[in-house]
Amino acid sequence: MNEKDANTEWDLVVIGAGSGGLATSKRAAGHGAKVAIIESSRTGGTCVIRGCIPKKLMVYASQLGQARELAADYGWRDQLGGIDWTRLKTFRDNVVSNLEAMHLRNLEKAGVTYFAGHGSIEGPGEVRVGDTVLKASTIVIASGATPTMAPIPGIEHCISSDGFWELEDQPKRAILIGGGYIALELACALQGLGTETHLLVRSKLLSSFDQDIAEHLEATLIKTGLTIHRPVQINEVSKTETGTAVSFTDSDGNVTRLEADEAALVATGRHPNTENLGLGSAGVELGSRGEIKVSSNDETSCAGIYAVGDVTLRSMLTPVAIKSGRLLADRLYKGTETTMEYDNIPTAVFSQPPVGVVGLSEEAARAKYPDAVKVYRSEFGGLLFSPTPKERTMRCLMKLVVHQDTDKVLGCHMVGPDAAEIIQGFAAAMQAGATKADFDRTIAIHPSSAEEFVLMS
Ligand code: NDP
């Protein structure tokens, strides 16, 4: 049994048992530190409970539906009806609960002591959880982030990505506000499951991504049935007898009022969870977006208090939180000096088709290296869609952004089936400093989509 005595002196108290907190605490305990972790909600954090994992299951379910159309193109006789939402939700909830239980078991195995409740810094080296005050020489804050409800009149009638997981019935019609990761992923999942889905976007899709890629994605999504309204300004959200209505104005000044059942969802970014953590009295400084400010070694403005993961707003991605948590624990308890590298972090948007990217977009590369950027681009239909009518074909777009003088590959971008799987491997090549010549020397795997990355001229 792990020691749960309130008088114990802890080497490390971690606030938050999400991706960053779990990784930090287990790694620290593995180095022999006496570690406590505090969680006020379910164990596993956004990724496991209300993010990556249930989302990916929805994406799989949705893709299988689309695969039926493709199967019919190939000659399969399609006999299945629509999705059984209750079955899907039950299965998804079970996967999440099993993972949560696994994380709790893993904490115990690692020798980390778990405290349920809200943790807040009480004084120097002290963290309160309920009636208990834990004494700690080091504190790590890994409290994550939460959906931001955009300042739109009536926004309280919208659900966020957290509320999405509670939907007991499949929406007949859904409205999603936002053009980023979450809105795109959930819109595509719903659309693929048979919900009539409308996406309301104030500017562009994926505005911080390579815009060639974003525009290609948009064209494909429209072709495959998603209704995208952009650029639009959202006027208000209101309650109707049967659900929710959203009114918006397009760039020509036309006002539209769209109704949905319970699923009007807002996904307009996330903000750090820093409330009621005692940060002010501890002297922990926040940045302009409410994030905990940290140095390159993850230390806050208060000595002995560190922060990792989404609460720092440094690349809000699960693998980043895990990696930086582990590196921090290694520095604190193993004496290493390695800090997290924030360049060349690969990422994927699990839209349908998905987007996978690593490195600089064409726009960012041209801004950084004016007149020294060469772009290679390949667009193709792919063998998979050979029997499919053009209007349902998902064409791939792949791009390589290369430094003209050094020949270094600065960015690798793809929209098309398997983009996430393909980009992961090329991220390793870029991490190793690959040049375009290295790509050219690489033998293609044929027939595949990935081979285009080593065949571009
Ligand atoms: P994003 O930052 O990805 O996108 C936010 C979207 O909301 C943008 O389209 C933005 O428009 C729009 N927006 C912001 N404010 C308003 C407003 N007031 N009115 C209308 N639209 C608005 O945020 P998400 O919430 O989608 O995701 C949060 C983060 O979670 C991501 O940045 C990512 O780090 C992480 N995440 C990662 C995933 C993955 O790895 N696959 C999956 C899901 C989330 P504009 O572009 O004009 O600013």
Side-chain angles (χ1 to χ4, degrees), residues 179-255:
Y181 281 86
I182 296 177
L184 279 169
E185 291 179 344
L186 295 183
C188 290
L190 282 171
Q191 174 75 19
L193 290 169
T195 294
E196 179 194 327
T197 306
H198 294 256
L199 193 63
L200 309 188
V201 184
R202 72 170 173 187
S203 58
K204 307 169 188 168
L205 299 194
L206 299 177
S207 59
S208 61
F209 284 58
D210 186 294
Q211 282 305 296
D212 207 3
I213 292 287
E215 283 164 20
H216 184 93
L217 174 69
E218 180 172 27
T220 309
L221 296 181
I222 292 170
K223 196 166 77 167
T224 52
L226 187 69
T227 309
I228 301 177
H229 308 264
R230 88 163 181 89
V232 295
Q233 188 201 315
I234 317 292
N235 305 321
E236 64 164 348
V237 183
S238 54
K239 205 82 205 123
T240 66
E241 261 179 36
T242 50
T244 316
V246 182
S247 143
F248 57 90
T249 306
D250 68 18
S251 48
D252 296 326
N254 301 314
V255 177

Side-chain angles (χ1 to χ4, degrees), residues 24-259:
T24 314
S25 61
K26 286 186 293 181
R27 182 60 71 95
H31 293 320
K34 193 158 184 54
V35 186
I37 191 164
I38 305 171
E39 173 58 57
S40 59
S41 174
R42 295 179 65 183
T43 301
T46 301
C47 175
V48 173
I49 308 295
R50 56 194 91 83
C52 322
I53 298 297
K55 177 272 307 289
K56 194 75 190 276
L57 294 174
M58 295 297 279
V59 171
Y60 283 140
S62 167
Q63 280 173 338
L64 287 170
Q66 290 171 355
R68 286 182 315 160
E69 272 188 341
L70 193 54
D73 297 339
Y74 272 81
W76 283 96
R77 293 182 192 89
D78 190 354
Q79 292 166 359
L80 296 171
I83 189 85
D84 179 344
W85 184 272
T86 307
R87 186 187 166 115
L88 171 62
K89 181 176 186 305
T90 306
F91 148 74
R92 195 186 68 210
D93 291 349
N94 285 341
V95 170
V96 168
S97 298
N98 289 341
L99 282 175
E100 183 182 16
M102 181 199 78
H103 280 296
L104 281 165
R105 281 197 307 276
N106 287 349
L107 281 176
E108 172 133 29
K109 266 193 234 157
V112 176
T113 303
Y114 185 89
F115 288 84
H118 179 80
S120 66
I121 299 170
E122 179 93 340
E126 287 185 344
V127 181
R128 173 175 290 280
V129 50
D131 295 333
T132 308
V133 175
L134 308 175
K135 294 184 184 58
S137 41
T138 301
I139 297 167
V140 171
I141 303 165
S143 50
T146 220
T148 301
M149 302 304 273
I152 297 167
I155 196 72
E156 65 277 9
H157 301 305
C158 282
I159 55 171
S160 69
S161 54
D162 289 355
F164 179 79
W165 311 112
E166 308 305 321
L167 290 175
E168 295 292 344
D169 299 306
Q170 177 176 10
K172 288 189 182 56
R173 181 191 266 184
I175 301 170
L176 290 95
I177 302 172
Y181 281 86
I182 296 177
L184 279 169
E185 291 179 344
L186 295 183
C188 290
L190 282 171
Q191 174 75 19
L193 290 169
T195 294
E196 179 194 327
T197 306
H198 294 256
L199 193 63
L200 309 188
V201 184
R202 72 170 173 187
S203 58
K204 307 169 188 168
L205 299 194
L206 299 177
S207 59
S208 61
F209 284 58
D210 186 294
Q211 282 305 296
D212 207 3
I213 292 287
E215 283 164 20
H216 184 93
L217 174 69
E218 180 172 27
T220 309
L221 296 181
I222 292 170
K223 196 166 77 167
T224 52
L226 187 69
T227 309
I228 301 177
H229 308 264
R230 88 163 181 89
V232 295
Q233 188 201 315
I234 317 292
N235 305 321
E236 64 164 348
V237 183
S238 54
K239 205 82 205 123
T240 66
E241 261 179 36
T242 50
T244 316
V246 182
S247 143
F248 57 90
T249 306
D250 68 18
S251 48
D252 296 326
N254 301 314
V255 177
T256 304
R257 184 174 178 276
L258 258 184
E259 289 193 19

Side-chain angles (χ1 to χ4, degrees), residues 12-17 20-21 24 119-121 127 138-144 273-274 277-279 282 284 286 292 294 298 300 302 304-312 314 328:
L12 173 65
V13 170
V14 178
I15 301 178
T24 314
S120 66
I121 299 170
V127 181
T138 301
I139 297 167
V140 171
I141 303 165
S143 50
N273 291 326
T274 53
L277 291 177
L279 300 181
V284 173
L286 301 185
I292 296 185
V294 284
D298 303 311
T300 69
C302 185
I305 302 181
Y306 297 79
V308 294
D310 288 1
V311 75
T312 66
R314 289 172 305 176
L328 171 61

